[in-house]
Amino acid sequence: MGTLVRTSKFLSAARDINGIVTITMRRPPLNRMNLEFMSEFSNVLRDLERDNCPGAILTSYSNKVFSAGFDIGELCNPEPERFNDFYTEVQNNWTQLYGSTFPTVAVINGHAMAAGCLLALSCDYRVMIKNRTIGYNEMQMGLATPTWFTATMLNTVGHRHTELGVTLGKMFTTDEALNINLIDCVADSKEEGIQKALSFLEKFTHFLPKSYTFAKHSLRGPFIKQLKENQNEETQLAFRFLKDPEVIKKLEIVKDKEQTQFLTSKVA
Ligand SMILES: CC/C=C\C/C=C\C/C=C\C/C=C/C(=O)SCCNC(=O)CCNC(=O)[C@H](O)C(C)(C)COP(=O)(O)OP(=O)(O)OC[C@H]1O[C@@H](n2cnc3c(N)ncnc32)[C@H](O)[C@@H]1OP(=O)(O)O
């Protein structure tokens, strides 16, 4: 796997002989993202920028779940200060990953739900294992999909697929995701996925890093700028949404269901 360059409670990062870093999310059982997870993630990305990393792969320790998205504990009737810290970290994390100066690949070796899907979409390329699902399922949870989540999907698959995906809270199967270019290729196993990711990243060894960064930022920069300019408003909007009694009630029902079965549309 390579030399371990960083290990923390929920993430590990290992560098191979070519400098490519594989970041593995490990918050059992579902890689749910809470404040601590997000700040560890930001620290890893900051290190990779500082070290002029030539490329990174993002994957999960589990071959069942890439990430179940945000920890519902961070969203259900949140405290203002904690939510502000959490959401700010999430936004910063997205601007770092979506705008990284190095190429990134998500090896999606398990289900990728909501913010888990955002992580994958924020990379430059996606390899997904067969028989998994990916999408923004917020609607099914009584939530809404934040503006920058939507923009990231829109920039990947276009308006119509985003519109249907977001408004239906649709989880796409691997085959469906490939058909609409939500992912770029399919692998039989995580190991094969990593090999495909490395082949993609190998292409960039022939380019000047500054040329790559310029191209990426000319495509993604305006969306990052838009979020940075509206960061506080986005946080306030989300906080108000989450304080709506109907939303709290719905999330509490979801939390109660956690004791038995999470969602009726639960995936295999
Ligand atoms: C203006 C509006 C702007 C913004 C709106 C405001 C805020 C919203 C902000 C952002 C958007 C939201 C993004 C998100 O990421 S929301 C989270 C979405 N995640 C999910 O829906 C995950 C659903 N989970 C599942 O479908 C399954 O758990 C999964 C397929 C991942 C795994 O299935 P499996 O059968 O292996 O496990 P389970 O028995 O279902 O789960 C084990 C255990 O864990 C609990 N669980 C699952 N997911 C979460 C989660 N995200 N947070 C907390 N807890 C979770 C599950 O209920 C089980 O609990 P228990 O029964 O107690 O063991």
Side-chain angles (χ1 to χ4, degrees):
M1 183 46 112
T3 319
L4 208 56
V5 286
R6 182 185 252 278
T7 181
S8 54
K9 195 166 165 197
F10 299 140
L11 295 168
S12 65
R15 183 180 290 127
D16 73 9
I17 48 167
N18 299 312
I20 301 297
V21 172
T22 298
I23 304 168
T24 305
M25 298 181 280
R26 16 180 123 255
R27 188 185 177 208
L30 306 174
N31 285 331
R32 295 178 318 216
M33 295 180 240
N34 63 359
L35 173 59
E36 203 177 348
F37 182 105
M38 295 318 298
S39 45
E40 284 185 15
F41 208 130
S42 294
N43 289 340
V44 172
L45 294 174
R46 203 170 303 126
D47 285 358
L48 299 192
E49 287 293 350
R50 186 201 55 209
D51 298 347
N52 296 320
C53 171
I57 295 171
L58 176 63
T59 191
S60 165
Y61 82 97
S62 155
N63 278 329
K64 182 175 179 191
V65 179
F66 179 76
S67 168
F70 292 158
D71 197 319
I72 296 300
E74 298 286 7
L75 304 180
C76 188
N77 198 9
E79 292 300 324
E81 202 174 316
R82 169 85 188 190
F83 182 73
N84 188 63
D85 290 350
F86 170 68
Y87 216 59
T88 304
E89 200 66 75
V90 167
Q91 291 164 328
N92 291 342
N93 187 273
W94 177 77
T95 60
Q96 284 175 292
L97 185 59
Y98 200 55
S100 72
T101 60
F102 50 87
T104 53
V105 181
V107 173
I108 310 159
N109 55 326
H111 305 301
M113 331 198 64
C117 173
L118 178 73
L119 278 187
L121 287 177
S122 305
C123 293
D124 297 340
Y125 194 75
R126 281 155 289 286
V127 186
M128 189 163 160
I129 307 307
K130 287 178 182 163
N131 303 318
R132 306 294 191 274
T133 60
I134 181 167
Y136 288 158
N137 67 325
E138 287 88 342
M139 288 297 280
Q140 295 188 42
M141 311 280 294
L143 288 168
T145 308
T147 324
W148 81 95
F149 280 51
T150 304
T152 311
M153 185 179 278
L154 189 68
N155 293 343
T156 312
V157 299
H159 199 277
R160 188 59 183 147
H161 293 306
T162 303
E163 194 167 52
L164 284 175
V166 168
T167 57
L168 294 173
K170 182 169 167 58
M171 292 298 294
F172 297 90
T173 63
T174 303
D175 290 343
E176 289 169 336
L178 185 65
N179 277 338
I180 63 166
N181 297 324
L182 188 63
I183 59 164
D184 299 290
C185 66
V186 177
D188 282 317
S189 63
K190 176 176 174 180
E191 292 66 33
E192 189 191 332
I194 298 277
Q195 283 314 312
K196 289 190 172 183
L198 289 171
S199 301
F200 176 77
L201 291 172
E202 212 269 327
K203 297 178 198 297
F204 294 89
T205 56
H206 309 295
F207 305 146
L208 278 180
K210 66 178 79 163
S211 307
Y212 161 79
T213 305
F214 185 85
K216 182 164 173 173
H217 285 183
S218 61
L219 286 159
R220 296 184 173 189
F223 299 93
I224 293 171
K225 186 165 174 267
Q226 198 177 359
L227 177 62
K228 281 185 172 162
E229 284 170 358
N230 296 306
Q231 215 164 332
N232 283 338
E233 289 76 5
E234 288 281 353
T235 305
Q236 295 310 317
L237 191 67
F239 185 74
R240 280 201 303 277
F241 186 92
L242 293 170
K243 283 295 189 185
D244 181 309
E246 273 187 332
V247 174
I248 295 175
K249 200 168 153 196
K250 179 91 189 205
L251 283 182
E252 275 169 353
I253 293 170
V254 171
K255 276 182 88 181
D256 286 347
K257 273 194 194 159
E258 284 178 11
Q259 304 312 315
T260 49
Q261 199 180 36
F262 198 73
L263 290 174
T264 45
S265 60
K266 212 156 99 157
V267 284

